[in-house]
Amino acid sequence: MLSVTTKVRRESRLIWYLQKRFKKVSAKVTNVDRALQYFDIAMPPVYQARWPSIRLALLSKQRYVALLNNFADYDHIIEDLYDLGAMDIRHQYSHITERMKIAEAKTKVAKAEECTPQHQEDQQEDARPVRPSLIELDDDELAARANKEPISRYPEEYQLRAQAQDHGPGSVDVEHSSRVILPSEVGVEGTNILHDHVPATKLKGLENWIEETDLFVNTSLRDDEIGIKREVQKEPISLPSPLKVFSFPKGDITSFPQPKMDNKMKVFTHYIMDGASLMPVLALDLQPGERVLDLCAAPGGKTLVALQTMLPGMVVSNDASLGRVRRLNNVLRQYIPSCLSQIQGSIAVTQRNGCIPWEQEAFDKVLVDAPCLTDRHVLHESDNSIFSPKRSKERLRLPELQSALLVSALQMVRPGGTVVYSTCTLTPLQNDGVVHLALSKIWQETTIDCCVVDLTHAMRPLSFLYRLGTNLGLRYGQIILPSLLSNFGPMYFAKIKRLK
């Protein structure tokens, strides 16, 4: 009996060992995997055929630009950059904008030419607008033109007759609109206009579905119901002459040399940053002597760009986190000489909750570079990712935080001043959706009037540097999309003027 028991124990141990030894180990799901799965579900409906190239770019090596420090001796750095094949962005930009102005002038002249009635038909055929340079058209615009539906050559009467014809036995009329699934058809009542900014997801049951718009209220108003005015900026984005930025041409993945210390001024010669991060600051259109607030300033790159324009009279750099404020101070110490008391006196670093305005109508320009999903970062780093299950509530609350920051900024900017809201995410809800939510709150809860500035035309000359997101149905802002040839961003930004 004892021997049988011992044999059973040995067999049990052997079975346990074999099960443990050959047990199929399931792959551990990382935060990077969770982020990629989210984007693969949410982004294709928004970016469609562009998503595969955007996805590949996000997972590839990021490109940067070099911002030269006006407070250091950078002459030798310029020589090194030219030797590497880098270009001065402002020089290239000036050349392109000049060509565009000439083309537009010719177009106006052609349209203004008078013609006699007998030659009117010839005039319509020959006096065509001057074709703009192809450098103004990015891949998305060219594709849109190629896919444009041809103009119908049949009168409407004949089209109606053809539609009324019986197409023969076995023909079936298909109502294509019946294939469109509205939000109200998936079992959620009370959906509102913010759904326009929420990408569709897989229709796979609703057990675990969290309606992001359920976190918000008072978002059902249309643009015309919240008093949104619009203005088109026809002049190209201004690049101030003191701002010296170098980039490599599209497709060139050469890395910039590391910043060097200027032994005399004790500051670094240049700052390496994502080239798309220039745009929110440039969209502010800074003017001499203005008081500027960078509401979510850390780590400090955009504050540094504003200071390098040599235009603001005062720059207030704020962040809510003590750790981030320390990073901000560290960057400013590395690039702003302590011996220049006048410059130091024009910089103030504060640690405040940006959702609560501490001054009313106190700033000429306000930048809100809001916390967001940070798409590129979460696809490369798992540590402390916003896609960690422990931070899911924080992630869902991001639009609420972002809209509160924008509302606060609109209260702190003076009438006639400008607020630029920006993120580094592709997610429509955190971009156009937040702008809509904030403007709704401003309309309902304050007497402030705002105007959204359309920068589409003003951005066109920058297509030599960026992949501009066109034909995406954006209502308020612009977006720079990552691509292998120009792997900056993503960067969304919207320009809002306060009228009163």
Side-chain angles (χ1 to χ4, degrees), residues 76-86 246 248 254:
H76 62 289
I77 295 297
I78 291 181
E79 295 178 3
D80 293 343
L81 295 179
Y82 278 130
D83 290 341
L84 288 172
F246 280 76
F248 291 103
T254 305

Side-chain angles (χ1 to χ4, degrees), residues 65 264 418 466:
V65 297
K264 182 179 179 181
T418 300
Y466 302 120

Side-chain angles (χ1 to χ4, degrees), residues 324-445:
R324 292 176 63 82
V325 168
R326 287 173 179 167
R327 291 179 61 192
L328 174 60
N329 277 317
N330 188 45
V331 168
L332 293 176
R333 278 194 299 267
Q334 291 175 342
Y335 288 89
I336 308 300
S338 58
C339 59
L340 299 181
S341 57
Q342 184 178 358
I343 300 298
Q344 290 288 341
S346 66
I347 306 170
V349 178
T350 60
Q351 182 191 349
R352 296 176 182 269
N353 181 359
C355 298
I356 303 173
W358 60 88
E359 290 187 80
Q360 297 289 332
E361 304 179 2
F363 299 96
D364 299 292
K365 305 287 172 66
V366 180
L367 174 61
V368 186
D369 188 41
C372 63
L373 292 184
T374 59
D375 298 2
R376 191 181 290 273
H377 175 76
V378 297
L379 289 175
H380 291 271
E381 297 289 340
S382 279
D383 294 343
N384 199 32
S385 171
I386 194 71
F387 282 92
S388 169
K390 297 179 180 179
R391 301 183 65 185
S392 59
K393 290 184 179 179
E394 180 185 351
R395 176 165 55 86
L396 289 172
R397 287 288 180 181
L398 272 176
E400 184 179 42
L401 169 64
Q402 294 160 339
S403 63
L405 289 167
L406 182 51
V407 168
S408 176
L410 289 168
Q411 291 174 322
M412 287 193 282
V413 74
R414 65 169 177 80
T418 300
V419 173
V420 169
Y421 170 80
S422 65
T423 70
C424 53
T425 182
L426 296 164
T427 308
L429 178 60
Q430 296 186 25
N431 295 336
D432 265 4
V434 164
V435 175
H436 181 87
L437 181 62
L439 293 180
S440 299
K441 289 184 177 180
I442 285 291
W443 177 260
Q444 294 171 334
E445 301 173 8

